[in-house]
Amino acid sequence: MLGSVHQDAAASFRGQVRATRRGIPTPPTERSAGGPAKRAGSFLMLAGTLAASVFWGPQAHAAKVDVAVVFAVDFSSSIDPEIADLQRKGHAAALTSPEIIAAITRNYVGCISVAYFEWSSPGHTRIVLPWTSICGLEDARAAASVISKKGDTGFTRRGRRGTSVSSAIDVGSLLLDQFPGKAAKKVIDISSNGENNDGLPVQPSRLNAIAKGYTINAIAIPTQDENPDRPLASYFAKSVIGGSQAFVITPKGPNDYAMALRRKLVTEVSMDVGRQFPQQADGRF
């Protein structure tokens, strides 16, 4: 089953990546919780980083759309060129796929809006694509072109440090807070190959986003040495995703990433619940 969590599938993914790369470092365990003052300071740093990125980017226009989706893409030190290509090319291909265009056009408004940013440690965030409306194939191709040209290649990883899923959620929430229009559904879409191991704990960020009515979904990329007793998808299902119809999906291998991402995005952008894919009780496909 496409995107299912399975030990053999994860092993296959690891073997294929190992054939082309020497492997991906294993991230350390999640840090302990910080106090309110630390979280407030982190939010101010994130807000400043986001404001600077948006200021220098193209100005988005107010729009009414069916869904606003923030793509939060991991570019921490564990993301090598192979995984970076999967993410960058996968998102570009998904946006322009016939399945996505059909899902968008059959909605009520017939438009979605997307933003794409890359994240690693707290304060290490880069806006690749500011809010952009997609109402058809031409719009999708323009957005995909920006992601393809400006997205992470994985070759310059020095100084990126760890994986702060909490920061990814916080920045995604801020982008949705600042969305210059109206959307019936707002989604933070996380792509990552690791658990939270830097910055603040995930739960306060997760609960804050859910309280605002945002949905957090994820695509979990298996690593070379993933613990079969604690697959990354299970961690995301239990500790990260949340909100209405939240789910996590994992690709079976490098060639499956784009297909898994398309499947996830169809579910996210579709306002027709009957067309969405079934999922397990814990939110995994």
Side-chain angles (χ1 to χ4, degrees):
M1 180 178 177
L2 176 63
S4 61
V5 178
H6 194 281
Q7 181 177 345
D8 291 340
S12 175
F13 190 106
R14 295 194 300 273
Q16 294 174 63
V17 172
R18 192 184 302 116
T20 54
R21 303 296 301 175
R22 295 186 63 183
I24 302 171
T26 304
T29 57
E30 182 168 345
R31 293 183 178 179
S32 59
K38 184 177 180 182
R39 175 158 292 276
S42 178
F43 263 91
L44 288 174
M45 180 170 63
L46 287 168
T49 300
L50 180 60
S53 299
V54 173
F55 178 81
W56 291 109
Q59 294 302 305
H61 297 285
K64 182 177 180 181
V65 298
D66 294 293
V67 186
V69 182
V70 177
F71 295 116
V73 179
D74 186 352
F75 81 145
S76 64
S77 59
S78 65
I79 302 298
D80 67 11
E82 289 292 327
I83 304 301
D85 281 350
L86 287 182
Q87 295 187 115
R88 186 183 70 259
K89 294 179 179 179
H91 282 84
L95 284 175
T96 56
S97 67
E99 302 97 316
I100 302 303
I101 301 303
I104 292 171
T105 56
R106 66 172 170 248
N107 280 339
Y108 304 114
V109 178
C111 294
I112 66 170
S113 192
V114 301
Y116 184 109
F117 76 93
E118 296 167 340
W119 55 273
S120 58
S121 295
H124 289 72
T125 302
R126 188 169 75 96
I127 304 293
V128 174
L129 180 74
W131 283 116
T132 300
S133 293
I134 297 178
C135 304
L137 183 56
E138 184 177 349
D139 295 335
R141 284 174 174 168
S145 177
V146 174
I147 293 171
S148 296
K149 293 177 180 177
K150 297 184 178 181
D152 175 45
T153 62
F155 284 102
T156 307
R157 292 183 281 163
R158 192 171 186 178
R160 293 185 184 180
R161 299 169 56 193
T163 303
S164 181
V165 179
S166 57
S167 290
I169 295 174
D170 288 341
V171 173
S173 294
L174 284 169
L175 277 166
L176 289 174
D177 291 344
Q178 298 173 4
F179 176 63
K182 295 182 179 179
K185 182 167 66 173
K186 294 184 176 182
V187 179
I188 300 171
D189 186 329
I190 296 175
S191 176
S192 179
N193 72 339
E195 299 185 10
N196 191 69
N197 61 45
D198 199 0
L200 299 173
V202 171
Q203 285 309 305
S205 299
R206 173 181 176 272
L207 294 175
N208 179 62
I210 294 171
K212 293 179 180 180
Y214 304 155
T215 296
I216 306 169
N217 295 328
I219 182 164
I221 306 171
T223 58
Q224 176 185 348
D225 42 13
E226 181 178 87
N227 183 349
D229 296 325
R230 183 183 169 87
L232 183 62
S234 293
Y235 165 77
F236 273 90
K238 295 176 182 178
S239 304
V240 178
I241 67 170
S244 177
Q245 302 292 320
F247 63 91
V248 60
I249 195 167
T250 190
K252 294 179 180 179
N255 294 331
D256 185 48
Y257 181 89
M259 289 186 289
L261 186 58
R262 283 200 302 271
R263 183 184 182 193
K264 181 162 72 73
L265 191 53
V266 165
T267 304
E268 289 173 337
V269 305
S270 177
M271 299 300 290
D272 184 354
V273 177
R275 292 181 180 269
Q276 294 183 359
F277 295 94
Q279 63 190 53
Q280 300 178 34
D282 63 0
R284 289 179 291 157
F285 275 136

